[in-house]
Amino acid sequence: MYILIKKGKNIFGDYVTEKNTFLNIDNLTEESFGDIRENAVENGRLIKQAFEGSFDIVVKKGYCNGKCVVFANCDGLCNSQKIADNAIRPILSYKGELPEDSPLDFIADRIICGTEQKKETSLDNAIMQLLRGTLLIFLEGQKECIIFGVQNIPERAITEPDTEVQEFGSREGFTENIKTNLTLVRKRLCTTNFKIEMLETGKTGKTRVLICYMKGRVNPDTLEEVRSRLQGLNIDMVLGAGYLRKTLDTKRKSLFTMVGETQRPDTFAAKLCEGKVGLIIDGTPFALVVPRLFIENFQTLDDYVNRPFYAAFMRSVRILAFLISVFLPGVFVSIGLFHQEMLPDDMLYNIVIMESNTLFTLTIEALIIHFIYEIVREAGLRMPKTVGHAISIVGALVIGDAAVTAGLIGAPMLIVVALTAICSLVSSDVYQPIAILRIVFILIGGSTGLYGIVIGAAVFVISLASMTDYGVPFLAPLTPYDKALFRDSVFRLSNEKLGARIFDINGLKMTKEEGKNVNDA
Amino acid sequence: MLKDRATPSQFFSLLYLSVLSSIFMYIADRRVSVAQTDSLLRPLVFAVISIVAFLPMCYLMNKYKVFSQEQRNELSKSKMFKIISVLYGVVYFFDALITAARFDLFASSELFPDKDMTFFLVGLIIVCCFLSHLGLGGLSRASTVFLMIVVLATGFAALTLFQEVDFLNFTPVFENGVTDFAKDSLYFSIQASEIGTIPLVVSNIKGNVKKNYFLWSILSAVSFSVILFFVVGTLGEFADTQLFPTYAAISLAEFGLFERLDALETAIWILCIVVKLTFFIYIIVRTFSFSFKKINKHRKLFSAFIGVAIASILVFVSSNIVRFSFVSSAAVAIGVYVVPVIILPAILIGVNFIYDRRKNYEKN
Amino acid sequence: MRKIKIVTVFLLCLFCVTLFSSCEKPGTELSELMIMQGIGIDFENDIYTVTVEILNNEQSGSPGGDGTSENKTKIYSAKGETVSEALRKLTEKSGNEPLFAHNRVVVLGEKAINRDLRDVIDFFERDYDSRVSQLICVAKNSSAEDLIRAELFKDGVKCEILENMLEEGYNNSIIPRVRIIDAVNHLKDATSGLCIPAVSVQKNGENENYFLDGCGVFGADGKFLKYIDSATAEGLAFLNDTVKKGYITAHISDKGKATFLINKGTTSFEIIEDDGVLKYNMKIKLSCDLDEIEGQENFKNDTEILNALQKGVGESICKKVENTFVSLQNTPSSDVIRFGKRLRLENLDLYNTLADDWGNIFPEIKLSVTVETTIRRIGEETFNSQKEIS
């Protein structure tokens, strides 16, 4: 990972940029302060020096039975009331003797009261902890300090996630706080088998990442793979879940990803129970789940709450919507340009009359209107919420009525695009590939007709079928077909039929042992 | 290699699609009449011949299982094997060429007769070269999906055609005598040259190959018969006037308001062509890279070369109908079937025999 | 690797550029199509004249037709040495590209039928775009051009009306259905002739209208033989085993008449050779509903009526079939009912000996007809309802 730094001034300046140089992450260094000194005041000074006098770093000196005590914390990340009540006041007002050996333990065990406290000898680590919202307590003559947990990191309330709306699911969603997120999962998985490992990623950001899994269900290979990929990660900052996606995904060039993303703790817990590995990342409400199958894009939690027949129906509707949103504009363009004979007489007549007044060929029409749609959509996403109505009115008027009356596009094309746009919103997880594929298929359909579209679709399916990550084929359990798991994929059988069986991703894993090597020639 | 791994059902669905493509693009030949009830029986002979032709390959595969890994490695290093491997590659190169040429004729007579299809075909070959890199695993897995689509689409068309079947379109069985029937059947049977590839890829197929092969040949024969039943039943003697009788039959299918479904059906059949061509290119690259270390290093470059070779020969062939009739002549078809299915396995068995003899001799 | 990528991208760009450049325009714009609805073929002085009805796709306004006074279709004619040439010449007149896929009917003019039928329809067999299921009919006593240019009462697609008439005629078992594919099948068969429905134009005051006017009979060699009238053509459906629906009026033992709606009808044949004379035993199974009956009070009871009705239907059908068959036998080599093919399927050896001389053997064939009628329903009224009221 490189950060681009432009050397020199721009062309209007004194000298012209010769070459772009990159700042290599591997060269990034931080000042080291070594171990904690015996002099408590010195430690306080070093901390001040480390932050070069940032005003939010608070260092306070006091005395406990004649011995100097230095408290350091980062204002804003901690609860000041808690610091005063639980640490400073008991220490400073302590009148008794401090024992000669391990006085810090005495303070920790007898004087201050709190649940989270530990000792640290390295000043660097202590500073790290300071930035996580803890209080550091240095005592004169001790080469250690107490790290006292008084975090009060500002966070958003738990709200319903707006990207994954469920009709019948819980209304809780992940927040940006890693602990809250963990709590939300923990309360759904009351078992000792639920294991968590913590990693820090990012050279500068040092973002905490929790690797969550269910012991006994997760495949050790998958877990090891995730671990090693994260440890090998060379990145400056992790500001969102997507930052980790590129190392977790091996097929980086593919439009589809085998790394799932969720904002819902219930979905997250369910995926862990299927034997997958989950990642909760500090500072983002999106958790990652690996591996993810293609069919999961069309499954929702509601499917398990609804009646099976309805769930099965809705799943097929979602798949149909996906197919429509990818192929319909391309197919329409190709039929209009190449296969007019496929349309029934009256339909052809009506379409011909309506299209005969337009300016462009069908391909160009389809492209124009899709670009307009994407622009309107992007504007709707980024603009201030207060102008939302204005955009939708303009969008509706421009795309809808005016374009048809002006003869820019035909009414049939408008219907096709409108249907496509609505369908593409059904499975929001695959919106990105859909938006790209749609344009690709319009181009193919407009140049080579249905035959080109089918060849394109073949490429699409074969490349999806050849995707395997963490040993699991992306299109499973559709192909390779797995009878047991298929019953909860495209459709879902009733709970009685599924019985006590749980969807287990490990059933799909391909082992690495080689087949019989008969005449390889 | 994990990416080349396939189950027998996946692999045989690939082979099934591959042979289906020859019935979809079945070219009415002056030598063999389609519009006869006999054509419905020819696939039965096809099944029998396919099963018989499989026996030597079966023996070969069984024999190799007995050897230890070292023996196998030693064997596969021998020059003999490398030459045979290249021969396989050359034969399937011709096969790919024939398939592409036949599709070219099909495309330029039925798909877009008034357009220049060269670019379309070149595009198809580029696509197949690319897909052949994704490995046998992906291709066979995708084949199961394609199989469903093709069978559903063709079955649907057959259902809509059912009302068009006329008893008077059939002819008496063995009207031209049994000898003619046998000859035509043999000619019909040699379309499935794909079966020669089984020994090449069997190491990637985990499961019971023999049982699945048996099922495959029966199912292929039955589906050929069903398709030909509709061709003969709906078209009658008209089938003989058409270059592509299966296509002509499908163009009769109509469903409610939709009176022409042929574009949709042929589009779906193209899936078979994509699978077949991709599989052949995969086999060519695999056989050549087995024999030449350099090719093994630059597989992508080599497959691009194969693509360019097929495309340029194709452009040469397709510009003249006479050249095409040479490519699709009986002699070439027989050669492409007989060499990989009978001759090369026979040579391998012979080599085996000599190898065994020599080993016994050394022991004694 | 990098080089390969560059080459691939270059090839793809070339591919796209060639397809999108104007030199090879991909596809045809809908507004540039000449959507054929019907094709009429005339032949005079060694020149073909084709008349086509095409959809008027340059119409302004809504497709519903309201708010515009323009016609839904246009008619063009062109001449050429072959059918194909004449059709291609149409492009010069309309400026659009022809689309044969939606063609509904091919009308053969009075003079065109004197040509070998195989030559006339070869284009439709060969051209990929044209459907093999389009219908053929003969313009009786007029040219195909006159038929297509007829001034009808209704505004609309004339060939659609024509197509509907032919389809309905077939569904009511009045005329046979002849598509391109049927024509080819009959003519490929060494023994079979062909019977193509004939349509005439009738002057009706200011306007004209179409009506089905029997059939034109073609020999096995594709040559036109003669016309048969509508009444004669009615037996063809039974002889061809293509009875679908339709009606039949029977005379019941001189006591009255009754009309039936046919539900289902099948015909089977048994071929017997007796001293060099071929005998076809034809068995018709018919299921029908009573639609109207007169003179029912003359019968004693229901069973008697039913028996009489069944007998009446049988006699009526026998008469029809006999009428048709005799009319066909009067002309040599007019085996339009494919008796030769039936013999080929049933007795190949005998067929092989007779096939060469089939034209002369066909008139000698003896036909015996057995009709098995089932009356399924008698309608909403009982038989003796009128009696009870009186």
Side-chain angles (χ1 to χ4, degrees):
Chain A
M1 171 65 66
Y2 295 96
I3 300 165
L4 188 68
I5 298 176
K6 284 224 166 153
K7 203 185 202 179
K9 297 183 182 174
N10 61 23
I11 47 166
F12 303 110
D14 300 333
Y15 54 91
V16 181
T17 310
E18 283 172 6
K19 208 177 173 185
N20 290 328
T21 54
F22 295 91
L23 177 64
N24 196 331
I25 288 182
D26 298 331
N27 300 335
L28 287 177
T29 50
E30 275 181 30
E31 200 182 343
S32 174
F33 295 95
D35 288 338
I36 290 172
R37 319 285 196 275
E38 279 190 21
N39 185 344
V41 181
E42 174 70 7
N43 286 330
R45 196 190 60 74
L46 283 174
I47 289 173
K48 277 265 179 201
Q49 184 195 326
F51 289 99
E52 293 181 359
S54 292
F55 75 93
D56 60 335
I57 304 298
V58 181
V59 178
K60 182 188 160 54
K61 200 170 83 175
Y63 290 93
C64 176
N65 205 0
K67 274 194 172 172
C68 183
V69 188
V70 171
F71 303 93
N73 71 305
C74 182
D75 194 22
L77 292 181
C78 335
N79 186 339
S80 310
Q81 187 68 40
K82 225 168 159 185
I83 295 177
D85 290 350
N86 300 353
I88 300 183
R89 191 193 314 245
I91 293 177
L92 296 191
S93 59
Y94 180 70
K95 300 289 181 231
E97 282 287 320
L98 284 177
E100 276 304 305
D101 56 320
S102 61
L104 274 179
D105 286 342
F106 183 81
I107 292 177
D109 297 343
R110 304 280 179 90
I111 302 178
I112 57 177
C113 39
T115 48
E116 188 190 341
Q117 41 185 271
K118 61 179 179 182
K119 287 201 291 184
E120 180 62 61
T121 54
S122 154
L123 190 56
D124 295 330
N125 289 348
I127 290 172
M128 212 55 247
Q129 291 303 316
L130 176 91
L131 289 173
R132 300 257 188 247
T134 56
L135 173 73
L136 307 183
I137 304 169
F138 299 97
L139 186 66
E140 187 68 39
Q142 296 298 319
K143 280 192 161 180
E144 288 176 321
C145 74
I146 298 176
I147 295 173
F148 187 55
V150 282
Q151 296 95 325
N152 184 22
I153 296 168
E155 68 169 305
R156 192 165 54 91
I158 297 171
T159 52
E160 191 180 0
D162 45 3
T163 55
E164 280 176 88
V165 184
Q166 306 277 5
E167 203 178 352
F168 299 111
S170 92
R171 298 285 181 259
E172 285 177 340
F174 283 135
T175 68
E176 285 77 3
N177 190 319
I178 194 166
K179 279 196 178 171
T180 316
N181 292 351
L182 181 59
T183 317
L184 289 177
V185 181
R186 184 66 95 176
K187 79 174 186 191
R188 288 176 170 83
L189 297 172
C190 284
T191 162
T192 52
N193 281 335
F194 174 47
K195 308 283 181 198
I196 305 149
E197 288 171 20
M198 198 175 84
L199 277 179
E200 279 187 358
T201 53
K203 204 128 185 171
T204 306
K206 298 215 172 50
T207 312
R208 286 172 293 179
V209 176
L210 300 181
I211 303 178
C212 312
Y213 57 92
M214 295 293 282
K215 195 182 171 189
R217 297 193 190 192
V218 73
N219 189 302
D221 294 342
T222 312
L223 186 60
E224 191 46 49
E225 181 91 38
V226 171
R227 236 182 251 147
S228 68
R229 283 188 196 185
L230 283 182
Q231 276 159 359
L233 181 67
N234 195 9
I235 192 171
D236 194 39
M237 281 187 288
V238 177
L239 296 179
Y243 282 60
L244 296 183
R245 178 166 279 164
K246 50 182 169 273
T247 113
L248 295 171
D249 222 348
T250 40
K251 291 265 178 185
R252 280 169 225 172
K253 284 178 195 162
S254 175
L255 286 172
F256 289 84
T257 171
M258 284 194 76
V259 183
E261 215 172 36
T262 180
Q263 229 182 325
R264 304 187 61 92
D266 41 10
T267 311
F268 188 77
K271 303 266 178 212
L272 293 191
C273 289
E274 287 174 4
K276 296 172 185 166
V277 179
L279 299 171
I280 299 176
I281 299 136
D282 199 8
T284 162
F286 292 94
L288 299 180
V289 181
V290 283
R292 179 192 182 84
L293 303 178
F294 181 65
I295 199 76
E296 284 179 57
N297 292 317
F298 310 107
Q299 297 173 343
T300 66
L301 203 74
D302 281 342
D303 294 346
Y304 299 91
V305 185
N306 286 327
R307 309 287 304 148
F309 65 85
Y310 183 69
F313 172 65
M314 280 328 285
R315 277 188 185 174
S316 44
V317 165
R318 279 180 219 124
I319 292 172
L320 188 70
F322 169 74
L323 294 177
I324 286 178
S325 56
V326 171
F327 293 109
L328 184 67
V331 169
F332 181 74
V333 166
S334 66
I335 289 180
L337 285 178
F338 294 94
H339 312 285
Q340 296 93 356
E341 74 273 8
M342 276 179 74
L343 294 170
D345 293 353
D346 294 339
M347 196 191 281
L348 176 72
Y349 181 68
N350 288 353
I351 292 177
V352 163
I353 297 294
M354 283 188 271
E355 289 289 339
S356 62
N357 296 328
T358 59
L359 207 55
F360 303 109
T361 66
L362 280 176
T363 321
I364 306 289
E365 263 179 42
L367 288 179
I368 288 177
I369 198 161
H370 268 113
F371 275 114
I372 293 178
Y373 165 69
E374 291 293 334
I375 290 168
V376 171
R377 183 187 168 275
E378 186 66 13
L381 196 68
R382 309 275 169 219
M383 73 193 165
K385 289 220 162 56
T386 41
V387 290
H389 285 294
I391 288 286
S392 41
I393 290 167
V394 170
L397 283 180
V398 167
I399 301 184
D401 203 35
V404 175
T405 348
L408 280 177
I409 46 166
M413 180 55 85
L414 191 71
I415 297 167
V416 166
V417 173
L419 182 62
T420 313
I422 292 171
C423 284
S424 64
L425 297 173
V426 171
S427 306
S428 55
D429 289 343
V430 278
Y431 184 80
Q432 297 171 13
I434 285 176
I436 302 297
L437 284 173
R438 199 159 52 196
I439 305 267
V440 170
F441 279 114
I442 290 173
L443 286 175
I444 297 178
S447 54
T448 52
L450 266 185
Y451 310 115
I453 288 189
V454 168
I455 294 175
V459 175
F460 173 57
V461 175
I462 294 176
S463 53
L464 284 191
S466 67
M467 260 173 87
T468 46
D469 213 348
Y470 303 97
V472 180
F474 189 41
L475 283 190
L478 185 64
T479 170
Y481 175 70
D482 186 296
K483 195 181 166 193
L485 297 180
F486 189 74
R487 304 188 302 176
D488 183 17
S489 56
V490 179
F491 53 90
R492 186 180 83 86
L493 293 188
S494 64
N495 294 336
E496 296 76 43
K497 286 248 172 77
L498 285 175
R501 275 173 292 238
I502 306 168
F503 188 94
D504 180 17
I505 193 88
N506 298 315
L508 300 169
K509 209 166 157 71
M510 302 202 295
T511 46
K512 275 196 176 156
E513 64 160 305
E514 266 295 307
K516 283 166 201 135
N517 185 17
V518 187
N519 186 12
D520 209 36
Chain B
M1 290 278 277
L2 206 58
K3 74 169 191 177
D4 287 332
R5 175 78 59 79
T7 64
S9 51
Q10 286 164 5
F11 177 70
F12 281 103
S13 51
L14 187 158
L15 279 198
Y16 181 76
L17 285 182
S18 179
V19 290
L20 265 191
S21 77
S22 22
I23 195 84
F24 289 149
M25 293 194 307
Y26 190 72
I27 297 184
D29 209 305
R30 279 187 187 281
R31 289 178 294 252
V32 185
S33 164
V34 187
Q36 291 178 337
T37 313
D38 295 7
S39 355
L40 312 191
L41 304 174
R42 281 176 209 150
L44 301 180
V45 179
F46 161 84
V48 173
I49 288 183
S50 298
I51 290 169
V52 171
F54 190 58
L55 294 178
M57 288 188 262
C58 246
Y59 170 78
L60 200 66
M61 290 188 287
N62 278 343
K63 191 82 193 160
Y64 273 81
K65 261 185 207 165
V66 185
F67 289 149
S68 68
Q69 186 67 45
E70 294 83 55
Q71 279 172 325
R72 263 183 260 154
N73 286 347
E74 188 195 327
L75 265 178
S76 59
K77 266 179 203 158
S78 72
K79 255 199 187 138
M80 187 72 196
F81 269 72
K82 287 187 175 171
I83 292 169
I84 286 174
S85 169
V86 169
L87 277 178
Y88 266 116
V90 170
V91 168
Y92 284 109
F93 177 78
F94 271 100
D95 216 343
L97 190 65
I98 293 170
T99 310
R102 216 193 231 200
F103 179 64
D104 184 9
L105 185 70
F106 183 67
S108 47
S109 337
E110 307 287 7
L111 306 187
F112 300 134
D114 46 348
K115 310 247 159 33
D116 186 9
M117 293 300 282
T118 319
F119 273 98
F120 180 71
L121 278 148
V122 172
L124 175 70
I125 291 167
I126 292 175
V127 161
C128 292
C129 287
F130 164 71
L131 290 179
S132 67
H133 283 296
L134 298 177
L136 186 64
L139 185 64
S140 357
R141 280 199 289 275
S143 295
T144 54
V145 180
F146 297 159
L147 182 70
M148 274 195 296
I149 297 171
V150 170
V151 167
L152 278 180
T154 317
F156 175 72
L159 275 182
T160 59
L161 274 180
F162 204 79
Q163 52 174 353
E164 302 285 337
V165 174
D166 186 358
F167 166 72
L168 278 180
N169 282 335
F170 291 99
T171 58
V173 182
F174 301 140
E175 193 178 13
N176 300 336
V178 182
T179 340
D180 267 22
F181 169 73
K183 223 163 49 186
D184 295 349
S185 304
L186 280 179
Y187 188 68
F188 181 86
S189 307
I190 56 170
Q191 297 193 69
S193 55
E194 293 88 346
I195 55 174
T197 59
I198 295 173
L200 307 183
V201 292
V202 79
S203 58
N204 297 113
I205 302 166
K206 227 183 158 189
N208 193 341
V209 174
K210 281 160 219 163
K211 189 184 114 193
N212 279 282
Y213 180 85
F214 187 73
L215 269 177
W216 168 84
S217 49
I218 301 288
L219 276 180
S220 310
V222 170
S223 32
F224 283 1
S225 285
V226 170
I227 290 170
L228 286 169
F229 167 79
F230 282 103
V231 172
V232 178
T234 54
L235 295 184
E237 314 234 354
F238 183 72
D240 276 345
T241 69
Q242 294 288 302
L243 192 58
F244 295 99
T246 322
Y247 171 81
I250 279 295
S251 64
L252 272 182
E254 50 186 73
F255 174 67
L257 277 176
F258 297 90
E259 291 181 349
R260 285 273 296 252
L261 298 170
D262 51 330
L264 192 66
E265 289 289 334
T266 39
I268 287 170
W269 291 347
I270 287 182
L271 288 175
C272 302
I273 311 290
V274 173
V275 167
K276 189 173 185 175
L277 270 181
T278 308
F279 181 56
F280 280 161
I281 293 174
Y282 170 82
I283 289 290
I284 297 165
V285 174
R286 187 168 163 158
T287 46
F288 272 87
S289 53
F290 173 81
S291 306
F292 303 104
K293 266 188 188 155
K294 261 198 175 163
I295 290 176
N296 196 16
K297 260 188 202 165
H298 306 283
R299 276 175 174 232
K300 283 191 180 170
L301 203 65
F302 182 69
S303 81
F305 169 74
I306 292 289
V308 169
I310 294 178
S312 36
I313 299 178
L314 192 63
V315 170
F316 174 73
V317 168
S318 75
S319 59
N320 191 332
I321 191 82
V322 180
R323 289 176 199 151
F324 176 78
S325 55
F326 168 73
V327 173
S328 67
S329 67
V332 175
I334 291 170
V336 163
Y337 183 80
V338 168
V339 173
V341 177
I342 296 165
I343 296 179
L344 293 180
I347 294 176
L348 280 174
I349 290 172
V351 171
N352 232 316
F353 185 66
I354 296 166
Y355 184 83
D356 280 0
R357 284 274 298 268
R358 212 194 303 165
K359 239 178 28 182
N360 286 338
Y361 183 74
E362 278 166 11
K363 262 186 193 170
N364 297 335
Chain C
M1 265 320 88
R2 220 184 159 75
K3 271 180 198 164
I4 296 176
K5 262 184 205 164
I6 292 167
V7 170
T8 320
V9 168
F10 175 74
L11 279 176
L12 283 176
C13 289
L14 194 73
F15 183 58
C16 291
V17 165
T18 327
L19 283 171
F20 282 107
S21 60
S22 51
C23 59
E24 177 69 26
K25 206 172 73 183
T28 315
E29 275 297 300
L30 287 169
S31 52
E32 287 165 11
L33 284 175
M34 182 160 68
I35 304 164
M36 306 268 179
Q37 294 290 298
I39 300 176
I41 301 172
D42 288 308
F43 184 78
E44 209 163 0
N45 302 333
D46 223 21
I47 293 286
Y48 281 102
T49 311
V50 293
T51 311
V52 295
E53 187 183 24
I54 62 168
L55 283 182
N56 182 8
N57 56 5
E58 277 138 17
Q59 214 179 92
S60 53
S62 65
D66 40 53
T68 169
S69 57
E70 288 169 79
N71 278 336
K72 209 176 170 188
T73 58
K74 289 180 194 167
I75 294 169
Y76 288 113
S77 296
K79 287 182 195 303
E81 283 187 47
T82 61
V83 176
S84 170
E85 189 188 308
L87 282 170
R88 301 289 166 198
K89 273 191 179 162
L90 282 171
T91 316
E92 296 163 17
K93 294 203 169 177
S94 73
N96 287 343
E97 200 173 303
L99 176 75
F100 297 106
H102 285 81
N103 194 33
R104 298 164 189 271
V105 275
V106 176
V107 184
L108 304 177
E110 201 188 13
K111 289 189 176 134
I113 54 175
N114 291 321
R115 301 270 303 162
D116 189 342
L117 193 58
R118 279 177 283 210
D119 295 343
V120 181
I121 61 171
D122 185 72
F123 167 78
F124 300 98
E125 233 181 286
R126 205 170 285 279
D127 186 74
Y128 107 105
D129 196 18
S130 74
R131 269 186 299 183
V132 286
S133 56
Q134 51 191 313
L135 297 169
I136 309 179
C137 68
V138 174
K140 192 172 173 184
N141 302 329
S142 70
S143 67
E145 185 170 357
D146 291 344
L147 193 82
I148 289 181
R149 287 187 187 272
E151 297 285 330
L152 298 188
F153 279 117
K154 257 201 284 185
D155 181 39
V157 185
K158 283 169 205 158
C159 291
E160 191 178 354
I161 299 170
L162 207 52
E163 185 195 27
N164 290 343
M165 272 172 68
L166 292 170
E167 286 284 353
E168 275 310 297
Y170 172 64
N171 286 336
N172 283 324
S173 317
I174 300 171
I175 47 161
R177 176 181 68 168
V178 183
R179 301 164 299 171
I180 296 285
I181 177 175
D182 300 320
V184 177
N185 267 337
H186 278 252
L187 296 177
K188 281 276 282 180
D189 196 351
T191 55
S192 302
L194 182 62
C195 203
I196 301 181
V199 180
S200 295
V201 187
Q202 199 176 37
K203 197 90 179 152
N204 196 343
E206 280 285 290
N207 290 297
E208 291 168 314
N209 59 334
Y210 296 140
F211 71 98
L212 292 174
D213 196 4
C215 292
V217 178
F218 291 76
D221 52 357
K223 289 264 160 43
F224 176 70
L225 299 174
K226 64 170 182 181
Y227 284 114
I228 52 174
D229 59 15
S230 297
T232 316
E234 277 176 19
L236 281 171
F238 293 99
L239 284 160
N240 277 330
D241 187 21
T242 53
V243 176
K244 291 198 179 291
K245 296 271 171 219
Y247 50 85
I248 193 154
T249 301
H251 294 261
I252 320 155
S253 345
D254 304 328
K255 286 175 181 168
K257 284 175 269 179
T259 299
F260 294 88
L261 295 181
I262 300 172
N263 255 318
K264 209 169 87 185
T266 51
T267 313
S268 56
F269 288 91
E270 193 191 3
I271 306 168
I272 300 164
E273 195 214 356
D274 196 15
D275 288 339
V277 179
L278 279 175
K279 196 178 168 198
Y280 280 61
N281 288 334
M282 182 177 166
K283 194 175 178 189
I284 300 171
K285 277 188 185 170
L286 201 71
S287 155
C288 49
D289 299 348
L290 181 65
D291 209 30
E292 189 188 326
I293 181 169
E294 56 182 40
Q296 49 182 293
E297 60 275 9
N298 298 337
F299 293 95
K300 279 175 196 149
N301 54 35
D302 291 359
T303 330
E304 198 185 336
I305 301 179
L306 278 174
N307 286 339
L309 285 176
Q310 281 174 352
K311 204 177 156 207
V313 170
E315 277 169 1
S316 171
I317 289 172
C318 283
K319 220 167 159 186
K320 271 189 184 184
V321 171
E322 193 191 334
N323 187 11
T324 311
F325 191 65
V326 168
S327 164
L328 288 174
Q329 278 191 322
N330 283 341
T331 326
S333 74
S334 58
D335 178 14
V336 299
I337 43 186
R338 307 198 79 179
F339 272 15
K341 179 80 191 232
R342 284 187 197 279
L343 179 66
R344 183 173 159 200
L345 281 169
E346 205 147 292
N347 193 342
L348 185 62
D349 296 335
L350 183 62
Y351 170 81
N352 283 337
T353 55
L354 301 178
D356 293 339
D357 197 25
W358 188 255
N360 295 326
I361 289 168
F362 179 69
E364 305 295 320
I365 290 173
K366 298 257 179 296
L367 181 73
S368 80
V369 187
T370 323
V371 184
E372 200 176 278
T373 319
T374 319
I375 295 172
R376 201 181 63 142
R377 295 283 182 275
I378 55 163
E380 288 186 351
E381 266 187 73
T382 58
F383 277 123
N384 293 320
S385 56
Q386 288 173 2
K387 210 187 228 174
E388 279 163 25
I389 291 163
S390 64

